[in-house]
Amino acid sequence: MSSCQGELAEMEFYVKAIDQDGNVLVDATIATLRNGFFELWLPRNRRIELRLQGFNRTTKGIIGTFGDSNTCITTFQLR
């Protein structure tokens, strides 16, 4: 992601996170940090649908918050 850091620094994205039981965990606009990433704290041991919107584009996918789950996810692509 290093080639995109400048483009994504301190930008706002709409983020929605819904767990496997339909609970809305996040429904907010979140700004990226200076390095282009944002932090999102989610409950453990859940399958979560994550939806992101920014630059008039969207992406969504399923992430896990289990003991063996990745804690840094960089595979979502806005389209």
Side-chain angles (χ1 to χ4, degrees), residues 1-2 4-5 8 35-38 50 52 59 62-63 70-79:
M1 185 157 166
S2 60
C4 298
Q5 284 181 3
L8 298 177
N35 64 6
F37 290 90
F38 65 89
L50 190 60
L52 307 170
T59 188
I62 303 294
I63 62 170
N70 292 328
T71 58
C72 182
I73 300 168
T74 60
T75 55
F76 283 77
Q77 295 183 6
L78 295 168
R79 296 176 188 211

Side-chain angles (χ1 to χ4, degrees), residues 11-32:
M11 300 296 297
E12 290 189 344
F13 290 86
Y14 170 71
V15 179
K16 189 165 192 175
I18 304 170
D19 73 8
Q20 73 268 3
D21 297 324
N23 299 308
V24 177
L25 305 172
V26 177
D27 186 3
T29 299
I30 297 176
T32 59

